[in-house]
Amino acid sequence: MGFPEQRLRRLRASGGLRRLVRENRLDASDFVYPLFVIPGKDRTEPVAAMPGVARRSPDLAVQEARRALDAGVPAIILFGLPAAKDAEGSEAWNPTGPVQEAVARIKDALPELVVMTDVCLCQYTDHGHCGVVKDGQIDNDASLERLALMAVSHAQAGADVVAPSDMMDGRVGAIRRALDEEGFSRVAILSYAAKYASAFYGPFREAADSAPQFGDRRSYQMDPANSREALLEVALDIEEGADMVMVKPALAYLDVIAAVSQSFDVPVAAYAVSGEYSMIKAAAAAGWIDERAVVLEYLLAIKRAGARFILTYHAVEAARWLEEANG
Ligand code: PBG
C-alpha cells in the first residue's frame, strides 16, 4: 500500500483526531522545578544570566515552592549556596545550612510537594570541584564519605529524594548504604547517571557560584562524544541502588535519553539545563522566537525521546501555559 490509498494527512486534519492519535503528552506533572537557596531571611537575588530565576532565602523558597505546587508541578529540586566555602565543602552537611532549612520549611508547609536535593560539593568547596582535591586531582574515594554525609543531612531535614550530581564512581552505593544505616530507607535516589561535561551549564555556575577555580570537570563528567558509556554509567548506578536515573543536559542529548530509556526500566529523568533555558530566554527577549511555543515543543521532544520527567527552570511557566492550552 501507498499513495493514494494511504494518506497520512487524514489523521492530522481535525483537532480532535490529532489529539486522539497523539503519541506523547506534556503535563504539569512531568516537571521538577529547580530552586537556588541562600542563607538568611527575606532575601532574593536575581540571576542575571537566567532571566526569571532568583536565589532565595529559605522563607522565600517556601513561597516559590508553593507557586510551583499551585501550578500543578509535583516536585522541586534544591541547590544551596552556603555562607562559607572550604576545601572539604563541610557546609554541605551543616544541619542548619540553607538547603537543610529550606527542606524542613517546605516539607512542613507543603507536605505533598516532593522535595529533592542536589548532592554535590561544588557549591561548597573553595576550589569549586564536585569532590575533594588531593595533589591537584579530584580524589574519588575520599569524596564518597562527604557526599554520603551531605545526603544523610538532607534526609534528616526531610528530603524525599536525594540526587547526586558529582559523578564520582561509587557514590550511589555509598549514599544508599549511609541512608539505610541512618534509618532513611524510604528516601529515594535520583542519580545524575549520565552527566556530561557540558558548556550548557554556564549560566548555572553563575547562579550557584560553583565554577571550578582550576581546570575543568572533564576528569569526572562524561565526554559529549560518548553514548555507549552512558549505558554503562546507568547500569552501574542502578546496581548500586539508584531508583531513578537522569541524563543531563537534555536538548543536545536526546539520543542518550532514548538509548537509556529503551535499555532500562527505571524511570528516566532529563535535565533541561541552564544554558538551554538562557538561550530560549535570550532569543525570546530579542523577539526572534515564540518562547511559549518553543518551550512546549522542546519539552515534549524530551518526553518523546523517552524521559519520564523533566527538570526545567520553565516548569511553572510551562505548567501554566499547558493549563491555558487545555482549558
Ligand atoms: C552541580 C550541578 C551542576 C548542574 C547541576 N548540578 C553544574 C555543574 O556540574 O557544573 C547544572 C545545572 C544547570 O546547568 O542547569 N554539580
Side-chain angles (χ1 to χ4, degrees):
M1 261 223 303
F3 181 80
E5 290 82 3
Q6 273 191 316
R7 291 177 182 269
L8 299 186
R9 287 181 57 192
R10 274 183 206 122
L11 303 188
R12 291 178 201 141
S14 93
L17 209 45
R18 245 177 120 85
R19 263 173 50 212
L20 199 63
V21 301
R22 186 163 287 156
E23 296 175 40
N24 293 283
R25 285 187 171 77
L26 201 58
D27 183 88
S29 61
D30 295 327
F31 305 140
V32 178
Y33 185 45
L35 288 176
F36 297 99
V37 190
I38 51 178
K41 225 178 149 0
D42 198 27
R43 280 178 69 204
T44 8
E45 298 172 358
V47 177
M50 301 177 71
V53 172
R55 297 185 280 242
R56 299 178 169 81
S57 52
D59 52 327
L60 298 186
V62 177
Q63 289 180 15
E64 189 63 9
R66 181 174 286 117
R67 223 169 59 81
L69 187 64
D70 287 347
V73 175
I76 57 162
I77 182 164
L78 298 177
F79 295 89
L81 288 90
K85 301 180 191 247
D86 62 22
E88 296 213 9
S90 58
E91 281 298 312
W93 52 91
N94 178 348
T96 63
V99 165
Q100 288 82 353
E101 185 188 339
V103 169
R105 282 177 176 261
I106 292 167
K107 284 310 292 186
D108 188 47
L110 312 164
E112 67 276 37
L113 183 67
V114 175
V115 175
M116 306 184 173
T117 56
D118 184 83
V119 173
C120 185
L121 299 182
C122 61
Q123 289 112 263
Y124 300 87
T125 51
D126 49 17
H127 46 73
H129 279 289
C130 303
V132 291
V133 174
K134 202 169 142 195
D135 303 329
Q137 307 283 327
I138 317 308
D139 186 340
N140 191 87
D141 299 12
S143 302
L144 300 183
E145 55 191 278
R146 274 94 172 177
L147 293 161
L149 283 172
M150 183 178 186
V152 167
S153 85
H154 292 172
Q156 279 163 345
D160 301 295
V161 179
V162 293
S165 70
D166 52 284
M167 286 301 276
M168 297 300 120
D169 288 321
R171 91 276 207 208
V172 173
I175 289 171
R176 184 72 270 161
R177 279 189 296 279
L179 288 173
D180 289 353
E181 272 165 26
E182 298 294 328
F184 296 110
S185 57
R186 61 156 187 90
V187 174
I189 298 179
L190 165 61
S191 135
Y192 288 67
K195 177 172 176 182
Y196 287 86
S198 173
F200 286 97
Y201 307 152
F204 174 94
R205 290 180 189 167
E206 183 207 311
D209 186 27
S210 65
Q213 299 303 302
F214 69 90
D216 54 42
R217 302 210 200 291
R218 282 185 291 186
S219 78
Y220 41 104
Q221 297 182 347
M222 284 180 60
D223 184 344
N226 297 354
S227 61
R228 301 168 65 89
E229 188 191 353
L231 301 181
L232 265 176
E233 280 285 4
V234 168
L236 285 170
D237 283 6
I238 293 173
E239 241 177 72
E240 289 178 30
D243 301 283
M244 304 173 276
V245 295
M246 195 197 299
V247 175
K248 179 187 173 191
L251 187 53
Y253 296 83
L254 295 179
D255 57 324
V256 179
I257 297 171
V260 169
S261 71
Q262 281 158 24
S263 305
F264 299 95
D265 292 328
V266 299
V268 175
Y271 199 141
V273 300
S274 57
E276 303 176 39
Y277 175 84
S278 299
M279 288 194 303
I280 292 172
K281 283 288 177 192
W288 298 333
I289 59 169
D290 174 343
E291 180 177 13
R292 172 181 173 141
V294 164
V295 168
L296 295 181
E297 178 180 335
Y298 117 95
L299 294 176
L300 179 62
I302 295 169
K303 277 198 80 181
R304 191 191 63 232
R308 173 71 286 292
F309 61 92
I310 307 167
L311 288 76
T312 169
Y313 303 97
H314 270 113
V316 178
E317 281 173 290
R320 296 209 184 289
W321 291 332
L322 287 167
E323 193 182 294
E324 283 169 31
N326 299 331

